[in-house]
Amino acid sequence: MAKEKLLFDKTELVCGILMGNSATVVNVKYSDIIYIKFMPTEEKGFLKKIPSEMIEIKCKNMAFPIVYTMKNEKKYWDKYKAGLVKFAHDNRITLEDLTTTQA
């Protein structure tokens, strides 16, 4: 059974991420987050690419951003987005939602 990989606290995020061959839990304080971005993307399906979404969390102390894709986290996706919007607003973090803009 799949578990949530992104948990919210008042001042920090608890992120379950895959680093190499092992899963790691990372606590990220709000002061370490540079921005949170929701972006459209395409993921591989069985025979074709499927339109999808991606969450990117860029932190000061990490070389690469933390990324979650809709395909892997479909069960909790709306909860992740709503929680990150509230978290960013409460802690004054830059939030970009590129999924709502039309090209």
Side-chain angles (χ1 to χ4, degrees):
M1 187 165 119
K3 295 183 181 180
E4 290 183 64
K5 295 183 181 138
L6 185 60
L7 301 172
F8 306 95
D9 191 15
K10 189 173 183 176
T11 60
E12 71 178 3
L13 296 175
V14 179
C15 304
I17 56 176
L18 189 63
M19 290 184 148
N21 293 332
S22 63
T24 306
V25 176
V26 178
N27 295 335
V28 183
K29 295 179 185 176
Y30 78 94
S31 58
D32 292 337
I33 298 174
I34 299 170
Y35 65 80
I36 299 171
K37 192 183 293 188
F38 303 135
M39 300 184 302
T41 187
E42 290 186 343
E43 296 185 71
K44 290 182 182 179
F46 182 63
L47 295 173
K48 61 181 180 178
K49 291 189 177 183
I50 302 168
S52 185
E53 293 180 18
M54 177 171 70
I55 295 173
E56 181 178 302
I57 304 169
K58 180 66 177 161
C59 304
K60 291 178 185 175
N61 54 358
M62 296 180 78
F64 298 101
I66 299 169
V67 176
Y68 294 101
T69 57
M70 187 174 182
K71 182 179 178 184
N72 297 337
E73 306 296 327
K74 194 167 193 125
K75 185 175 179 181
Y76 303 108
W77 192 254
D78 292 329
K79 184 177 179 181
Y80 289 174
K81 284 184 76 172
L84 284 170
V85 167
K86 183 179 182 326
F87 182 81
H89 180 265
D90 292 347
N91 294 298
R92 297 182 181 147
I93 298 169
T94 303
L95 175 76
E96 285 186 75
D97 189 355
L98 304 176
T99 60
T100 59
T101 57
Q102 297 293 327

